[in-house]
Amino acid sequence: MRTLIQADYVVGLQDGAHRLLSPGCVVIENEAITHVGPTWNRPADQRIHLPGRLILPGLIDLHLHAGVLAFGRLYADQGRPELFGAGYLEYGAPAENAPAFGPEPAEAGALALAEALLSGSTTVVEFGGETGIAPRNLVAAAGLLGLRLYTAPGFRSARYRTTQDGRLAYEWDRRAGEAGLDEAVSFIEQHDLSAGGRIRGMLFPLQADTCDADLLRRVMDAADRLRVPVHLHAAQGVVEVHEMLRRTGLTPLRWLDELGILRPNTIVAHAIFHDAHPLVAVGSEDLGRLARSRATVAHCAVAMARRGIALRSFASYRRRGIRVALGTDTFPHDMLQEMRIAAYLGRVVDGSVNVAGPWEALTAATIDAADALGRPDLGRLAPGAKGDLVAIDLRSVHFGAVYDPVASLIACGTARDVEHVWVDGRMVVRDRRLLTIDPGPWREAAQTTAEAAWRDATRRDAAERGAEQISGLAPRRWQDSEEHLE
Ligand SMILES: [Zn+2]
């Protein structure tokens, strides 16, 4: 089966970089791309003509937490000052003896994957089922949706806790970390390369400050044996940096580098608080180490911006030779918004209009993420690459006149502009709808789960706050008064 897709704009790969074809075409045979160029004059079994559309390689969301994240949605806009804006510790460090994340229903995880796919992400890295969704349920959902998914159960040697007097504490259980690694290895042995190769494994030691050195050394041995990437959170909060400086005398990035954890197949989520960051200011070596290691930073600009935090900076990391790819983290899972905010904040931080351009943002969301996964067959439209494509409708009113379609996309595009999506040459989204399943019931299940979690908020919170107190919504609710009732 040979399919020819013709469009007014196609982003193809030439000399290792994205280039604009206008008009252009892509030929897919079975699951792979066999031709990208201005024209195709030979036979095709199926011809799809898409005027006014932009064809991009499928986007890669390199860091996503699937699930309702009910507590994240309460705490995201505020937090205690002693946590320096680290919202994840507000909900990720429950009161002592209180329940941790989840468990969340399978539907909540499936909903997040559906959202990502509808937004043009054809490959998603789900971070170890950390929100309490069992990775086997995510594998099932990705199979239903036709999405490309990297996942496996995450693990760690310690859990975050909040003590009664409000301090961050670590509840160590090294055996649980070892057992978690063993479980992840067998999960990967069982699922890697299933669903026609669309399901892949990855090792997720959850955070630099919750894993001990022995566990991380074992992780690297397992990664070599299984030939899978390693992905962990590090340098994501000031409190974490202080903790690691106290515990080891080193910043998290330096500690990981000296342990041999930063390698070309390692993905570091966030990596924001390096030693020269103004809120850390204890050295000037971390970014050089990161660049030399050839590890990848999974930058989640939107989730960080919600906490008032930005990478310092998107352009300067890349200029130093650090590979920076993008992820949507907690919510929403909209890679178009992610590219825009990464680029705009990159300019704000550098105080320059001449950095972090739209093509650079697109490269981070495609080629760089694929390289982090060791996948030259993803993130680009070229012969031999997988048939993972996205068609964006640029004819909507909000695009106005289009000169550079990638610049228009980054400036004006939203997830709703993603019209069609193909994975492995198979159409899985048509006319903005999933062809495989109706996600409506998944959203209803997610709402029910979240409402139950919010009702239960006081039990998890160290200060025994309820959902209204945590979210600050109470003072803003409509107040009935006698006057209005008359
Ligand atoms: Zn994360």
Side-chain angles (χ1 to χ4, degrees), residues 63 65 127 130 233 236 269-270 329:
H63 186 87
H65 295 274
F127 194 82
E130 196 187 354
H233 293 100
Q236 61 173 333
H270 310 310
D329 206 30

Side-chain angles (χ1 to χ4, degrees), residues 63-65 88 91 127 130 206-207 231-233 236 269-270 298 300 303-304 307 328-330:
H63 186 87
L64 172 150
H65 295 274
Y88 67 97
Y91 57 91
F127 194 82
E130 196 187 354
L206 297 178
Q207 294 94 7
H231 192 156
L232 79 174
H233 293 100
Q236 61 173 333
H270 310 310
C300 306
M304 283 294 165
R307 300 177 198 157
T328 60
D329 206 30
T330 48

Side-chain angles (χ1 to χ4, degrees), residues 67-83:
V68 169
L69 289 167
F71 285 90
R73 286 173 201 250
L74 287 184
Y75 290 103
D77 293 337
Q78 59 180 47
R80 287 175 289 144
E82 62 268 36
L83 295 179

Side-chain angles (χ1 to χ4, degrees), residues 2-13 19 21 23-29 31-40 43-44 46-50 54-57 380-391 422 425:
R2 181 187 283 162
T3 304
L4 167 66
I5 301 170
Q6 294 167 297
D8 280 357
Y9 309 102
V10 171
V11 171
L13 188 81
R19 311 256 181 223
L21 288 152
C25 70
V26 181
V27 177
I28 305 172
E29 298 199 39
E31 62 189 43
I33 294 169
T34 54
H35 173 81
V36 177
T39 53
W40 174 262
Q46 187 188 16
R47 289 171 180 270
I48 301 172
H49 185 52
L50 297 172
L54 165 66
I55 305 290
L56 294 177
R380 60 267 273 170
L381 301 184
K386 297 285 186 193
D388 294 6
L389 282 73
V390 175
W422 293 259

Side-chain angles (χ1 to χ4, degrees), residues 408-484:
S408 291
L409 179 71
I410 304 296
C412 312
T414 75
R416 291 295 297 151
D417 299 313
V418 173
E419 190 179 25
H420 311 307
V421 180
W422 293 259
V423 178
D424 266 347
R426 183 167 76 106
M427 198 178 228
V428 289
V429 173
R430 181 194 287 151
D431 298 328
R432 300 178 172 83
R433 296 177 82 92
L434 297 169
L435 282 178
T436 45
I437 196 154
D438 168 18
W442 292 349
R443 208 213 69 81
E444 283 162 31
Q447 182 72 28
T448 307
T449 307
E451 286 177 7
W454 294 329
R455 278 195 298 274
D456 199 30
T458 43
R459 204 154 65 88
R460 300 168 39 109
D461 191 74
E464 296 184 358
R465 291 172 296 177
E468 286 211 340
Q469 281 170 291
I470 291 168
S471 68
L473 273 173
R476 287 184 225 148
R477 284 198 195 278
W478 182 268
Q479 303 290 314
D480 280 334
S481 72
E482 294 296 322
E483 233 173 281
H484 289 108

